[in-house]
Amino acid sequence: MFIEVEDLKPEPLHIHHVFPIAEIKFFHEDAVLSEPVATDFVLMHKDRDLRVDGTVETAIRFKCSRCAKEFSQPFATGFNLSYLPQPKWTENEEIELRYEDMEVAYYDGVFFDVDLMVLEQIELAMPMKFVCREDCKGLCYKCGADLNEGACLCKKEETDSRLSVLLEFKKKVDK
Ligand SMILES: [Zn+2]
Ligand SMILES: [Zn+2]
């Protein structure tokens, strides 16, 4: 979806749009979108300087990096962005940030690409690591058992062997 900046009215433009999954070109090694992507935002402008405030909501499906189970989780992100027409190279040094407290991005000054903004916001808000929950215990590195479902036998053996080493040691000391 493109918004032609020349057509913008003086009053804020409110947009609600739901993209089918396939329309957002999201490619990620560890995650896929699992629900249509809904965006809700208000676009204001001063000539060709744009300001966009809104949200993106969808769901992502991923494999937990600890327990390897597949999960689908709601995903939402909010943004307050400022888009300025792409400055020409020669003007580069004179660019001053006009909205210091906001993120500034550039566009061609003619068409505002909504799909691209939505995609970038999703990518920016993606977690670095995918875990099904903060305290996921993961899999036992020895037997592969899911430790969320209880301790496996390895844990017990490990303590046993540590204990026997300790007993061995005690025997030696006692001699
Ligand atoms: Zn997990
Ligand atoms: Zn185990």
Side-chain angles (χ1 to χ4, degrees):
M1 191 204 312
F2 286 100
I3 293 171
E4 198 165 348
V5 174
E6 211 168 75
D7 296 342
L8 288 172
K9 307 264 180 322
E11 50 284 350
L13 175 68
H14 190 169
I15 294 207
H16 175 76
H17 186 75
V18 180
F19 294 91
I21 294 175
E23 250 178 54
I24 299 293
K25 306 287 174 224
F26 175 76
F27 298 109
H28 195 287
E29 247 179 278
D30 303 310
V32 292
L33 300 177
S34 57
E35 299 240 340
V37 179
T39 183
D40 215 315
F41 64 88
V42 175
L43 191 156
M44 287 166 282
H45 73 111
K46 206 173 126 205
D47 299 323
R48 295 191 180 272
D49 294 0
L50 312 180
R51 184 188 160 136
V52 199
D53 299 310
T55 56
V56 170
E57 280 179 51
T58 177
I60 50 173
R61 191 167 60 238
F62 60 90
K63 220 178 231 176
C64 172
S65 64
R66 293 188 202 145
C67 71
K69 273 199 186 123
E70 279 221 349
F71 280 88
S72 196
Q73 250 174 29
F75 174 90
T77 179
F79 49 86
N80 307 98
L81 304 164
S82 178
Y83 282 88
L84 307 179
Q86 183 74 56
K88 292 188 189 76
W89 283 111
T90 48
E91 294 170 6
N92 238 1
E93 279 149 51
E94 291 157 37
I95 303 166
E96 42 168 319
L97 299 185
R98 270 164 276 184
Y99 304 94
E100 281 178 6
D101 53 339
M102 292 175 40
E103 287 179 67
V104 177
Y106 297 97
Y107 77 112
D108 66 7
V110 182
F111 295 105
F112 177 61
D113 186 340
V114 178
D115 302 30
L116 184 63
M117 174 192 72
V118 166
L119 175 63
E120 283 174 352
Q121 293 312 306
I122 294 174
E123 284 173 346
L124 280 173
M126 269 295 131
M128 297 285 286
K129 236 184 168 187
F130 294 91
V131 285
C132 61
R133 50 174 219 242
E134 267 315 305
D135 62 346
C136 172
K137 296 194 179 82
L139 304 177
C140 169
Y141 66 96
K142 269 190 185 164
C143 73
D146 187 344
L147 298 176
N148 295 307
E149 288 161 14
C152 59
L153 294 172
C154 313
K155 185 97 188 191
K156 196 174 168 298
E157 277 167 28
E158 221 169 80
T159 349
D160 287 352
S161 64
R162 249 184 250 149
L163 194 69
S164 63
V165 169
L166 209 68
L167 288 177
E168 260 334 282
F169 180 71
K170 197 170 177 313
K171 260 188 240 163
K172 277 185 197 147
V173 173
D174 286 346
K175 262 180 206 164

